[in-house]
Amino acid sequence: MTKNAWGLTMRQKPFYFVLLSILILLMMGTVYSYSVFRYYIEEEYAIGPLDSGIPYMISLLFYALWMMITGRFLKPHNAFKIALLGTFVIGIGWILASVSSSLLFLTLSYGVLIGSGVGLVYGVPILLAQHYFPQKSGLISGLILLGFGMSPLITAPLASRGIEIWGLQSTFLIFGIAFLLIQAPMTFIFRQSSSHQVPLNRTALPTLSKDNSFWKLYLLFSVATTIGLMMIGLSYQVGVRQYQFSQRDVTLSLSLFALLNGIARPIFGKITDRYGSSFAMTLSFGLMAFASIIGLINQGQQLFLYIVSFGLFWFNLGAWLAIIPTMVKQTYGIASYSRIYGKLFTAYGLGAIIGNVVSGTILEFFQSTMGLYTFILFVVFVSIGFVFRIKKTFRKAD
């Protein structure tokens, strides 16, 4: 029986494939722990909330762009090379961030390089899951993606503790070395055996410029990611600086938020399958509105209500990362899935840009979170109305 680079037979490989894929995405999900770094970046570079969000925004933008680019040429036979390349790019990005002396250099290292590396690697295990598990690809993909969503459960406390002991730059360096020494060897699980190739049929793509359903979905995904990424990026800063909670309590809260972000993916995947995409989208937007109302009422007076409010925002970003793939597969079919989803994922990068600009501007202008929650409430209610108006567009997905 043919063996791969790990010396595993193809009968043994699936278990290790899933396990190592989860670990790889768990490491890359450190991008969701940026709110921990952001607090110290503002102190280190003497900048405000608008400027401090730039590296995070650029990282998510390049992550989305390289997801789209990689989706055009990613194949099982070159998956390992792409994953290994992406891992080295991430590691180099962390190392260069450790010697950055300006916000511009930090943006190029943390933003451009780390974001690009994550975008290169992210789609590899998802594509291969379609080959190893053709009958359970959705379930396996969801399990693998749990690693990315739940990453801050581990990486946020590690980052916070590392900064306390060694400082910001040294912690960046440690993360970079970890990627090169730990993740790089794990990517060898993606080396394909020639006896395990499953061809994917290609069908003509709809012309997206004329495909109204695509652009409606793109708009909704942009709104959801704008809110979700904005609040994830502000979680630590708002908890510590705006609400004066202890760094320990907020760091522990980030671990819970990460857990909620992870479990939302299988939960909303099942909700979308059972009740339809329109119901799932409306429910998610409704939960965001509820989170905003709690935030408006609480204004940082109670730690528990802060946890509920921000926990719901993290939960709902995870929800949309389950809703969208399911809708794409049901609306366009499996043959067009990777290309459509790659293009649609640029909405994630757009959401990162809009979220950072809006949140930074609001916080600097109002010096409180009142304007932030008010903005989210307005956008969410408009979005719910839009979902009801276009309900028939996604009849196939429902």
Side-chain angles (χ1 to χ4, degrees):
M1 184 176 289
T2 305
K3 295 186 178 183
N4 80 322
W6 280 67
L8 303 171
T9 66
M10 298 314 297
R11 186 170 296 176
Q12 297 168 321
K13 188 175 179 181
F15 170 78
Y16 294 97
F17 167 78
V18 173
L19 176 62
L20 292 176
S21 294
I22 291 172
L23 291 176
I24 287 171
L25 288 187
L26 187 145
M27 290 187 68
M28 295 197 304
T30 309
V31 68
Y32 283 160
S33 298
Y34 183 76
S35 59
V36 174
F37 299 119
R38 187 172 186 170
Y39 177 81
Y40 297 96
I41 286 171
E42 289 184 6
E43 292 188 341
E44 183 78 20
Y45 296 96
I47 55 178
L50 182 59
D51 289 338
S52 69
I54 293 175
Y56 174 66
M57 171 186 73
I58 296 300
S59 182
L60 295 181
L61 173 62
F62 274 80
Y63 159 37
L65 288 176
W66 277 99
M67 271 283 292
M68 180 184 69
I69 295 169
T70 305
R72 300 179 68 88
F73 58 82
L74 177 63
K75 303 289 190 300
H77 68 81
N78 63 15
F80 159 67
K81 293 179 182 178
I82 292 173
L84 186 61
L85 172 63
T87 299
F88 276 108
V89 172
I90 295 170
I92 292 169
W94 282 110
I95 292 171
L96 290 177
S98 73
V99 296
S100 65
S101 57
S102 67
L103 181 62
L104 175 61
F105 196 79
L106 182 66
T107 300
L108 292 174
S109 55
Y110 186 96
V112 175
L113 289 179
I114 294 178
S116 298
V118 172
L120 282 165
V121 182
Y122 186 89
V124 169
I126 307 305
L127 171 71
L128 295 181
Q130 314 301 317
H131 293 257
Y132 286 134
F133 310 95
Q135 304 302 320
K136 299 180 180 179
S137 60
L139 173 63
I140 299 301
S141 296
L143 287 173
I144 291 170
L145 290 173
L146 275 174
F148 199 81
M150 293 177 65
S151 174
L153 184 66
I154 297 173
T155 58
L158 285 177
S160 179
R161 185 60 176 163
I163 294 171
E164 289 176 6
I165 298 174
W166 299 296
L168 181 66
Q169 268 72 25
S170 295
T171 302
F172 283 157
L173 178 62
I174 292 169
F175 271 80
I177 294 171
F179 271 92
L180 296 178
L181 296 183
I182 299 174
Q183 180 165 308
M186 289 195 291
T187 61
F188 277 82
I189 198 68
F190 299 141
R191 285 191 82 162
Q192 291 292 287
S193 165
S194 60
S195 64
H196 197 78
Q197 299 294 324
V198 181
L200 283 176
N201 295 325
R202 295 282 185 180
T203 57
L205 275 172
T207 303
L208 295 184
S209 61
K210 298 179 180 178
D211 184 13
N212 290 330
S213 60
F214 175 86
W215 292 112
K216 290 172 183 176
L217 191 55
Y218 193 95
L219 176 61
L220 289 169
F221 192 32
S222 298
V223 170
T225 53
T226 293
I227 296 171
L229 293 172
M230 175 172 68
M231 300 310 283
I232 282 178
L234 290 172
S235 301
Y236 190 90
Q237 178 193 20
V238 167
V240 174
R241 180 159 294 166
Q242 298 282 338
Y243 295 161
Q244 303 297 309
F245 296 130
S246 73
Q247 294 182 27
R248 177 181 175 276
D249 287 342
V250 175
T251 300
L252 289 174
S253 299
L254 291 181
S255 298
L256 175 60
F257 299 160
L259 179 64
L260 290 171
N261 182 268
I263 64 174
R265 301 169 194 231
I267 289 174
F268 263 82
K270 188 172 182 63
I271 289 174
T272 306
D273 285 337
R274 184 165 184 178
Y275 300 106
S277 57
S278 297
F279 177 83
M281 289 188 290
T282 304
L283 175 61
S284 178
F285 280 131
L287 289 173
M288 290 182 202
F290 183 59
S292 298
I293 292 171
I294 292 175
L296 279 171
I297 294 172
N298 183 46
Q299 284 298 296
Q301 295 183 26
Q302 298 291 329
L303 176 64
F304 173 73
L305 292 180
Y306 158 79
I307 292 172
V308 172
S309 178
F310 272 81
L312 283 173
F313 286 122
W314 283 65
F315 180 83
N316 280 283
L317 180 64
W320 275 86
L321 292 173
I323 293 170
I324 293 299
T326 303
M327 289 188 68
V328 170
K329 183 186 255 186
Q330 293 176 346
T331 304
Y332 295 98
I334 187 62
S336 301
Y337 171 82
S338 61
R339 289 175 289 170
I340 292 285
Y341 186 60
K343 290 180 174 65
L344 188 60
F345 206 81
T346 58
Y348 185 94
L350 180 63
I353 295 174
I354 297 173
N356 179 71
V357 173
V358 168
S359 62
T361 302
I362 289 175
L363 286 178
E364 289 195 355
F365 184 79
F366 291 101
Q367 295 296 310
S368 77
T369 55
M370 289 285 288
L372 203 60
Y373 295 125
T374 304
F375 167 77
I376 294 173
L377 270 176
F378 172 77
V379 172
V380 160
F381 283 125
V382 171
S383 299
I384 291 174
F386 186 65
V387 170
F388 277 104
R389 185 173 180 180
I390 65 170
K391 208 171 180 182
K392 293 181 180 179
T393 302
F394 300 108
R395 188 175 295 162
K396 286 170 66 177
D398 288 348

